[in-house]
Amino acid sequence: MLFQNKVYHRRNLLIFYLLCFGAFLGLFVRLAYIMVCEGDYYSERATDLHERERSIKADRGLILDRNGKVLAGNKSVCTVSVVHSQISDPEEVIRVLCEHLDLSEEYVRKRVEKYSSMERIKSNVDIETGDRIRELKLDGVKVDEDYKRYYPYGSLASKVLGFTGSDNQGILGLEVKYDSYLKGEPGKILTVTDAKGLEVDGISERRIEPVSGSVLYTGLDINIQAYATQIAYQVMESKQADSVSIIVMNPQNGEIMAMVDVPEYDLNNPYALPEEPGSEELTAEQKQECLNRVWRNSCINDTYEPGSVFKIITAAAGLETGVVTCDSRFYCPGYIVVDDRKIRCHKTQGHGSEDFVLGTMNSCNPVFINVGLSLGIDRYYEYFEKFGLLKKTGVDLPGEAGTIMHKKDNMGNVELATVAFGQSFQITPMQMLTTAASLVNGGKRVTPHIGVKTVDQNSQETVLSDGEGERILSEETSETLRGILEQVVSEGTGKNGKVEGYLVGGKTATSQTLPRGSGRYIASFLGFAPADNPQVMAIAIVNNPKGVYYGGQVAAPVVRQLFENILPYMGIQEYNQ
């Protein structure tokens, strides 16, 4: 019996030892696994528990024009923050921050007394002020380097570039369109703290450096932009117009060299309201609505009735299908009757007998109505779609509006007739320019674009757009169209767009805003040069000019003055007769 008890106890003891050994072995294996396989993870977790993190903004990528001039850069500033657990004299901190940052005591006290790991007091503090606060060495006050977006040309190209918010994130224009390239990756400042959140003496801060954003190269030319802006303000003032828009494009590849929509706003102070009576009494909602109007880019965000400029599209479709040739004859008595509607020509006494070229030079409505009716609704709508007018252009700016056009099933002869000479529908200025460029450049649809490429910190390039598209018109028709439009400028309604020494093609337009009879008009002119090989195209739109409002007298001189400045600058040779 005694022997059996001893054997029993020994067996239990062996089992106990084996269980203990197994447990220790399991713990050892688990510890080894954690140390070897998950060591980095737990080390990082431990570091996170003992380190306080402060963000360092990345240097936002520059925006450059085609010549390398900085359109959007960065200015060094500071961000002032407080760490509640580290503040030893809160009243002194409140007093100093109110004094140096020009803030109310209520605002600062609320943030200083707030129980949080870190509370930001103010961003975009100038370097001098930040240095003065840093030199006071106040416990719990942190002054970190920061960047603020800076626009060296002020309001120039404001509605193209857009601006950033206090966090350096893009809000409008190119800044928001290419934000993912421009913003970079923020860095960190890591400070070792104890369990109470106090910094541990003798251990220096650790930095993870930020990665700067990519540089954005654009097709904009700051000199052409400046020329266009100056001329736009001149005509707006002289004609007391509501606004003036000008777009300058390379019709061969869609690169936009300038885009103006005056009045513009100061990019370095984008939230400033226009100085108008009663502006100081506006509610917050009314102020935002006012700012939205100030920031709005009519070149792409708004549609308008194009008027006679659109006859370029009708001419292209008619010539391509063969329903009209340069020698086709027409007679204009000053009007044309379509179904039960009498539609007048702008020359009420009529143009008489004329061929298609002369009809285009005269901008004769009955001629283009006849071409539209000869095409018919199905075929006209087919070309309207083929030319890309039912789609957005794809320009690299946010908020592009689409074409407002009759549904095909709802079109009758009257609607077709009015569309043929540019009425009863609406498109954007960008769409009108892009389509015309595609028809005179040899017949290939282009995609308008401002961004050309980005280059990151490792010199890695990303091409954004080459602008090339599908063929929408034959080269023969395109050449014929260029020749006709050159005669419009040299001898027809667009003669005020003629530039001495150069062949210029183009088309004028005068359209009335809705509702009809309001007495408000839009004068416009679309021109390109050289007419035989277009290298530059521009459209000018003058909204509600006072007095004389015809496109040939108001808008054509705008493009002429622009071309007189930029054609020699671009190195385009004069025409040798």
Side-chain angles (χ1 to χ4, degrees), residues 425-473:
F425 72 101
Q426 295 194 342
I427 62 175
T428 64
M430 178 57 69
Q431 180 66 268
M432 186 66 247
L433 180 69
T434 300
T435 306
S438 305
L439 297 177
V440 304
N441 69 2
K444 287 191 174 181
R445 177 77 182 186
V446 295
T447 300
H449 59 282
I450 300 166
V452 176
K453 66 177 181 179
T454 62
V455 180
D456 65 16
Q457 297 303 298
N458 298 318
S459 299
Q460 185 71 36
E461 291 189 6
T462 300
V463 176
L464 301 172
S465 175
D466 57 13
E468 295 182 3
E470 62 182 352
R471 176 165 296 282
I472 60 173
L473 195 70

Short mmCIF file of all heavy atoms in Angstrom, two decimals, residues 425-473:
data_model
loop_
_atom_site.label_atom_id
_atom_site.label_comp_id
_atom_site.label_asym_id
_atom_site.label_seq_id
_atom_site.Cartn_x
_atom_site.Cartn_y
_atom_site.Cartn_z
N PHE A 425 -29.79 77.62 -77.62
CA PHE A 425 -29.07 76.64 -76.80
C PHE A 425 -27.88 77.36 -76.18
O PHE A 425 -27.58 78.51 -76.52
CB PHE A 425 -28.60 75.45 -77.64
CG PHE A 425 -27.46 75.78 -78.57
CD1 PHE A 425 -26.16 75.44 -78.25
CD2 PHE A 425 -27.70 76.47 -79.76
CE1 PHE A 425 -25.10 75.76 -79.09
CE2 PHE A 425 -26.65 76.79 -80.61
CZ PHE A 425 -25.36 76.44 -80.27
N GLN A 426 -27.20 76.69 -75.26
CA GLN A 426 -26.08 77.34 -74.57
C GLN A 426 -24.90 76.39 -74.40
O GLN A 426 -25.09 75.18 -74.18
CB GLN A 426 -26.52 77.85 -73.19
CG GLN A 426 -27.57 78.95 -73.26
CD GLN A 426 -27.74 79.67 -71.93
OE1 GLN A 426 -27.35 79.18 -70.88
NE2 GLN A 426 -28.31 80.86 -71.98
N ILE A 427 -23.71 76.94 -74.52
CA ILE A 427 -22.47 76.19 -74.28
C ILE A 427 -21.53 77.07 -73.47
O ILE A 427 -21.78 78.28 -73.28
CB ILE A 427 -21.79 75.74 -75.59
CG1 ILE A 427 -21.38 76.97 -76.43
CG2 ILE A 427 -22.68 74.83 -76.39
CD1 ILE A 427 -20.59 76.61 -77.66
N THR A 428 -20.43 76.51 -73.00
CA THR A 428 -19.43 77.30 -72.28
C THR A 428 -18.46 77.94 -73.28
O THR A 428 -18.26 77.43 -74.38
CB THR A 428 -18.63 76.43 -71.30
OG1 THR A 428 -17.88 75.45 -72.05
CG2 THR A 428 -19.54 75.73 -70.30
N PRO A 429 -17.84 79.05 -72.90
CA PRO A 429 -16.79 79.62 -73.75
C PRO A 429 -15.68 78.61 -74.05
O PRO A 429 -15.15 78.57 -75.16
CB PRO A 429 -16.27 80.80 -72.92
CG PRO A 429 -17.44 81.21 -72.09
CD PRO A 429 -18.15 79.93 -71.74
N MET A 430 -15.33 77.78 -73.05
CA MET A 430 -14.29 76.78 -73.26
C MET A 430 -14.70 75.76 -74.31
O MET A 430 -13.89 75.36 -75.16
CB MET A 430 -13.98 76.08 -71.93
CG MET A 430 -12.92 74.97 -72.04
SD MET A 430 -11.36 75.58 -72.72
CE MET A 430 -10.81 76.59 -71.36
N GLN A 431 -15.97 75.35 -74.30
CA GLN A 431 -16.44 74.40 -75.31
C GLN A 431 -16.42 75.02 -76.70
O GLN A 431 -16.03 74.37 -77.68
CB GLN A 431 -17.86 73.94 -74.95
CG GLN A 431 -18.47 72.95 -75.91
CD GLN A 431 -17.78 71.61 -75.92
OE1 GLN A 431 -16.87 71.40 -76.73
NE2 GLN A 431 -18.17 70.71 -75.03
N MET A 432 -16.84 76.27 -76.81
CA MET A 432 -16.86 76.95 -78.10
C MET A 432 -15.44 77.05 -78.67
O MET A 432 -15.21 76.75 -79.85
CB MET A 432 -17.46 78.35 -77.93
CG MET A 432 -17.68 79.11 -79.23
SD MET A 432 -18.91 78.37 -80.31
CE MET A 432 -17.91 77.84 -81.69
N LEU A 433 -14.50 77.44 -77.84
CA LEU A 433 -13.11 77.59 -78.29
C LEU A 433 -12.51 76.24 -78.67
O LEU A 433 -11.86 76.10 -79.70
CB LEU A 433 -12.28 78.24 -77.18
CG LEU A 433 -10.80 78.47 -77.49
CD1 LEU A 433 -10.63 79.54 -78.55
CD2 LEU A 433 -10.03 78.84 -76.22
N THR A 434 -12.74 75.23 -77.83
CA THR A 434 -12.16 73.91 -78.07
C THR A 434 -12.68 73.29 -79.37
O THR A 434 -11.90 72.73 -80.15
CB THR A 434 -12.48 72.98 -76.89
OG1 THR A 434 -11.94 73.53 -75.69
CG2 THR A 434 -11.91 71.59 -77.11
N THR A 435 -13.98 73.41 -79.60
CA THR A 435 -14.56 72.84 -80.82
C THR A 435 -14.04 73.56 -82.06
O THR A 435 -13.68 72.92 -83.06
CB THR A 435 -16.09 72.91 -80.76
OG1 THR A 435 -16.55 72.30 -79.55
CG2 THR A 435 -16.71 72.19 -81.95
N ALA A 436 -13.98 74.88 -82.00
CA ALA A 436 -13.47 75.64 -83.14
C ALA A 436 -12.01 75.29 -83.40
O ALA A 436 -11.59 75.13 -84.56
CB ALA A 436 -13.61 77.14 -82.87
N ALA A 437 -11.22 75.15 -82.34
CA ALA A 437 -9.81 74.77 -82.50
C ALA A 437 -9.69 73.42 -83.20
O ALA A 437 -8.85 73.22 -84.08
CB ALA A 437 -9.13 74.73 -81.14
N SER A 438 -10.55 72.48 -82.81
CA SER A 438 -10.52 71.14 -83.38
C SER A 438 -10.90 71.13 -84.86
O SER A 438 -10.47 70.25 -85.61
CB SER A 438 -11.45 70.22 -82.60
OG SER A 438 -11.12 70.22 -81.22
N LEU A 439 -11.70 72.10 -85.28
CA LEU A 439 -12.14 72.15 -86.67
C LEU A 439 -11.14 72.85 -87.59
O LEU A 439 -11.13 72.57 -88.79
CB LEU A 439 -13.50 72.87 -86.75
CG LEU A 439 -14.66 72.18 -86.01
CD1 LEU A 439 -15.92 73.01 -86.11
CD2 LEU A 439 -14.89 70.77 -86.54
N VAL A 440 -10.31 73.73 -87.06
CA VAL A 440 -9.36 74.46 -87.92
C VAL A 440 -7.93 73.95 -87.80
O VAL A 440 -7.06 74.36 -88.56
CB VAL A 440 -9.40 75.98 -87.63
CG1 VAL A 440 -10.80 76.53 -87.79
CG2 VAL A 440 -8.82 76.31 -86.26
N ASN A 441 -7.67 73.03 -86.88
CA ASN A 441 -6.29 72.56 -86.70
C ASN A 441 -5.94 71.39 -87.61
O ASN A 441 -4.87 70.79 -87.48
CB ASN A 441 -6.05 72.16 -85.23
CG ASN A 441 -6.82 70.91 -84.82
OD1 ASN A 441 -7.51 70.30 -85.61
ND2 ASN A 441 -6.69 70.54 -83.55
N GLY A 442 -6.83 71.06 -88.51
CA GLY A 442 -6.65 69.89 -89.36
C GLY A 442 -7.71 68.86 -89.13
O GLY A 442 -7.78 67.85 -89.84
N GLY A 443 -8.56 69.09 -88.10
CA GLY A 443 -9.70 68.21 -87.90
C GLY A 443 -9.61 67.24 -86.75
O GLY A 443 -10.41 66.31 -86.67
N LYS A 444 -8.65 67.43 -85.80
CA LYS A 444 -8.53 66.51 -84.67
C LYS A 444 -9.01 67.19 -83.39
O LYS A 444 -8.58 68.29 -83.05
CB LYS A 444 -7.09 66.04 -84.50
CG LYS A 444 -6.65 65.04 -85.55
CD LYS A 444 -5.32 64.40 -85.17
CE LYS A 444 -4.95 63.29 -86.16
NZ LYS A 444 -3.67 62.63 -85.80
N ARG A 445 -9.91 66.50 -82.69
CA ARG A 445 -10.43 67.02 -81.43
C ARG A 445 -9.32 67.09 -80.40
O ARG A 445 -8.53 66.15 -80.24
CB ARG A 445 -11.55 66.10 -80.91
CG ARG A 445 -12.14 66.50 -79.56
CD ARG A 445 -13.09 67.66 -79.67
NE ARG A 445 -13.60 68.06 -78.34
CZ ARG A 445 -14.54 68.97 -78.15
NH1 ARG A 445 -15.09 69.59 -79.18
NH2 ARG A 445 -14.95 69.27 -76.93
N VAL A 446 -9.22 68.22 -79.72
CA VAL A 446 -8.21 68.39 -78.69
C VAL A 446 -8.88 68.46 -77.32
O VAL A 446 -10.06 68.81 -77.22
CB VAL A 446 -7.35 69.66 -78.91
CG1 VAL A 446 -6.53 69.55 -80.17
CG2 VAL A 446 -8.22 70.92 -78.93
N THR A 447 -8.14 68.12 -76.30
CA THR A 447 -8.61 68.25 -74.92
C THR A 447 -7.92 69.46 -74.31
O THR A 447 -6.69 69.48 -74.18
CB THR A 447 -8.28 67.01 -74.09
OG1 THR A 447 -8.92 65.87 -74.67
CG2 THR A 447 -8.75 67.18 -72.65
N PRO A 448 -8.66 70.50 -73.94
CA PRO A 448 -8.02 71.67 -73.35
C PRO A 448 -7.42 71.33 -71.99
O PRO A 448 -8.03 70.61 -71.20
CB PRO A 448 -9.18 72.67 -73.20
CG PRO A 448 -10.41 71.81 -73.11
CD PRO A 448 -10.13 70.62 -73.96
N HIS A 449 -6.23 71.80 -71.74
CA HIS A 449 -5.58 71.49 -70.47
C HIS A 449 -4.59 72.58 -70.10
O HIS A 449 -3.99 73.22 -70.96
CB HIS A 449 -4.89 70.12 -70.52
CG HIS A 449 -3.84 70.01 -71.58
ND1 HIS A 449 -4.15 69.81 -72.91
CD2 HIS A 449 -2.49 70.08 -71.52
CE1 HIS A 449 -3.03 69.76 -73.62
NE2 HIS A 449 -2.01 69.92 -72.80
N ILE A 450 -4.43 72.75 -68.80
CA ILE A 450 -3.47 73.72 -68.25
C ILE A 450 -2.26 72.98 -67.70
O ILE A 450 -1.12 73.35 -67.94
CB ILE A 450 -4.14 74.58 -67.18
CG1 ILE A 450 -5.32 75.33 -67.78
CG2 ILE A 450 -3.15 75.56 -66.57
CD1 ILE A 450 -6.26 75.94 -66.78
N GLY A 451 -2.50 71.92 -66.93
CA GLY A 451 -1.40 71.12 -66.40
C GLY A 451 -0.73 70.31 -67.50
O GLY A 451 -1.41 69.69 -68.32
N VAL A 452 0.60 70.34 -67.53
CA VAL A 452 1.36 69.62 -68.54
C VAL A 452 2.03 68.39 -67.93
O VAL A 452 1.91 67.28 -68.44
CB VAL A 452 2.42 70.53 -69.19
CG1 VAL A 452 3.29 69.75 -70.17
CG2 VAL A 452 1.75 71.72 -69.89
N LYS A 453 2.72 68.58 -66.80
CA LYS A 453 3.38 67.46 -66.14
C LYS A 453 3.68 67.84 -64.69
O LYS A 453 3.64 69.02 -64.31
CB LYS A 453 4.69 67.10 -66.85
CG LYS A 453 5.76 68.20 -66.76
CD LYS A 453 7.07 67.77 -67.42
CE LYS A 453 8.13 68.88 -67.31
NZ LYS A 453 9.41 68.48 -67.93
N THR A 454 3.95 66.82 -63.87
CA THR A 454 4.44 67.04 -62.51
C THR A 454 5.79 66.36 -62.37
O THR A 454 6.07 65.36 -63.04
CB THR A 454 3.47 66.46 -61.45
OG1 THR A 454 3.36 65.04 -61.64
CG2 THR A 454 2.09 67.10 -61.56
N VAL A 455 6.61 66.91 -61.49
CA VAL A 455 7.93 66.34 -61.21
C VAL A 455 8.09 66.25 -59.70
O VAL A 455 7.98 67.27 -59.00
CB VAL A 455 9.07 67.20 -61.81
CG1 VAL A 455 10.43 66.57 -61.49
CG2 VAL A 455 8.90 67.36 -63.31
N ASP A 456 8.31 65.03 -59.17
CA ASP A 456 8.42 64.87 -57.72
C ASP A 456 9.86 65.07 -57.25
O ASP A 456 10.75 65.42 -58.05
CB ASP A 456 7.87 63.51 -57.28
CG ASP A 456 8.69 62.33 -57.82
OD1 ASP A 456 9.84 62.53 -58.27
OD2 ASP A 456 8.18 61.19 -57.78
N GLN A 457 10.09 64.82 -55.96
CA GLN A 457 11.40 65.07 -55.36
C GLN A 457 12.49 64.14 -55.89
O GLN A 457 13.68 64.43 -55.76
CB GLN A 457 11.31 64.93 -53.84
CG GLN A 457 10.38 65.94 -53.19
CD GLN A 457 10.78 67.37 -53.53
OE1 GLN A 457 11.87 67.82 -53.19
NE2 GLN A 457 9.90 68.10 -54.21
N ASN A 458 12.08 63.05 -56.50
CA ASN A 458 13.04 62.11 -57.09
C ASN A 458 13.19 62.31 -58.59
O ASN A 458 13.68 61.43 -59.29
CB ASN A 458 12.60 60.67 -56.81
CG ASN A 458 12.54 60.36 -55.32
OD1 ASN A 458 13.42 60.76 -54.57
ND2 ASN A 458 11.49 59.68 -54.90
N SER A 459 12.72 63.49 -59.06
CA SER A 459 12.78 63.85 -60.48
C SER A 459 11.96 62.92 -61.36
O SER A 459 12.21 62.79 -62.56
CB SER A 459 14.25 63.87 -60.97
OG SER A 459 15.00 64.82 -60.26
N GLN A 460 10.98 62.26 -60.76
CA GLN A 460 10.08 61.38 -61.50
C GLN A 460 8.98 62.21 -62.16
O GLN A 460 8.24 62.92 -61.48
CB GLN A 460 9.46 60.34 -60.56
CG GLN A 460 8.60 59.30 -61.26
CD GLN A 460 9.40 58.32 -62.09
OE1 GLN A 460 10.50 57.94 -61.73
NE2 GLN A 460 8.84 57.92 -63.22
N GLU A 461 8.88 62.14 -63.48
CA GLU A 461 7.90 62.94 -64.21
C GLU A 461 6.60 62.16 -64.42
O GLU A 461 6.62 60.96 -64.65
CB GLU A 461 8.45 63.37 -65.57
CG GLU A 461 9.56 64.39 -65.51
CD GLU A 461 9.91 64.94 -66.89
OE1 GLU A 461 9.20 64.60 -67.86
OE2 GLU A 461 10.88 65.71 -66.99
N THR A 462 5.49 62.88 -64.34
CA THR A 462 4.19 62.32 -64.68
C THR A 462 3.54 63.24 -65.70
O THR A 462 3.24 64.40 -65.40
CB THR A 462 3.28 62.21 -63.44
OG1 THR A 462 3.90 61.37 -62.46
CG2 THR A 462 1.92 61.64 -63.82
N VAL A 463 3.36 62.75 -66.92
CA VAL A 463 2.72 63.55 -67.97
C VAL A 463 1.22 63.54 -67.73
O VAL A 463 0.61 62.49 -67.56
CB VAL A 463 3.04 62.99 -69.38
CG1 VAL A 463 2.29 63.79 -70.44
CG2 VAL A 463 4.54 63.03 -69.63
N LEU A 464 0.62 64.73 -67.68
CA LEU A 464 -0.79 64.85 -67.32
C LEU A 464 -1.72 64.77 -68.52
O LEU A 464 -2.80 64.22 -68.44
CB LEU A 464 -1.01 66.18 -66.58
CG LEU A 464 -0.20 66.33 -65.29
CD1 LEU A 464 -0.33 67.73 -64.74
CD2 LEU A 464 -0.64 65.31 -64.25
N SER A 465 -1.31 65.36 -69.65
CA SER A 465 -2.16 65.33 -70.84
C SER A 465 -1.35 65.72 -72.05
O SER A 465 -0.52 66.63 -71.98
CB SER A 465 -3.35 66.28 -70.68
OG SER A 465 -4.12 66.34 -71.86
N ASP A 466 -1.59 65.04 -73.17
CA ASP A 466 -0.95 65.45 -74.42
C ASP A 466 -1.95 66.14 -75.34
O ASP A 466 -1.57 66.69 -76.37
CB ASP A 466 -0.29 64.27 -75.14
CG ASP A 466 -1.29 63.15 -75.45
OD1 ASP A 466 -2.50 63.39 -75.34
OD2 ASP A 466 -0.84 62.05 -75.80
N GLY A 467 -3.22 66.13 -74.95
CA GLY A 467 -4.25 66.87 -75.67
C GLY A 467 -4.71 66.25 -76.98
O GLY A 467 -5.62 66.77 -77.62
N GLU A 468 -4.09 65.16 -77.43
CA GLU A 468 -4.45 64.60 -78.73
C GLU A 468 -5.74 63.80 -78.64
O GLU A 468 -6.00 63.10 -77.68
CB GLU A 468 -3.32 63.69 -79.23
CG GLU A 468 -2.02 64.45 -79.53
CD GLU A 468 -0.94 63.55 -80.08
OE1 GLU A 468 -1.22 62.35 -80.27
OE2 GLU A 468 0.17 64.03 -80.31
N GLY A 469 -6.57 63.92 -79.69
CA GLY A 469 -7.83 63.21 -79.72
C GLY A 469 -8.13 62.63 -81.09
O GLY A 469 -7.28 62.61 -81.98
N GLU A 470 -9.38 62.20 -81.28
CA GLU A 470 -9.77 61.54 -82.51
C GLU A 470 -10.06 62.56 -83.62
O GLU A 470 -10.32 63.73 -83.35
CB GLU A 470 -11.02 60.69 -82.26
CG GLU A 470 -12.22 61.50 -81.80
CD GLU A 470 -13.42 60.64 -81.52
OE1 GLU A 470 -13.36 59.43 -81.82
OE2 GLU A 470 -14.42 61.16 -81.00
N ARG A 471 -10.02 62.09 -84.83
CA ARG A 471 -10.35 62.95 -85.97
C ARG A 471 -11.85 63.15 -86.04
O ARG A 471 -12.63 62.20 -85.97
CB ARG A 471 -9.83 62.33 -87.27
CG ARG A 471 -10.23 63.13 -88.52
CD ARG A 471 -9.42 62.71 -89.72
NE ARG A 471 -8.00 63.01 -89.55
CZ ARG A 471 -7.47 64.23 -89.69
NH1 ARG A 471 -8.25 65.27 -89.99
NH2 ARG A 471 -6.18 64.41 -89.53
N ILE A 472 -12.26 64.41 -86.18
CA ILE A 472 -13.70 64.72 -86.27
C ILE A 472 -14.04 65.45 -87.57
O ILE A 472 -15.21 65.65 -87.88
CB ILE A 472 -14.16 65.58 -85.07
CG1 ILE A 472 -13.40 66.91 -85.02
CG2 ILE A 472 -14.00 64.82 -83.77
CD1 ILE A 472 -13.92 67.87 -83.97
N LEU A 473 -13.02 65.81 -88.35
CA LEU A 473 -13.23 66.53 -89.60
C LEU A 473 -12.07 66.22 -90.53
O LEU A 473 -10.93 66.05 -90.09
CB LEU A 473 -13.30 68.04 -89.33
CG LEU A 473 -13.86 68.94 -90.45
CD1 LEU A 473 -15.36 68.71 -90.61
CD2 LEU A 473 -13.59 70.41 -90.14
#
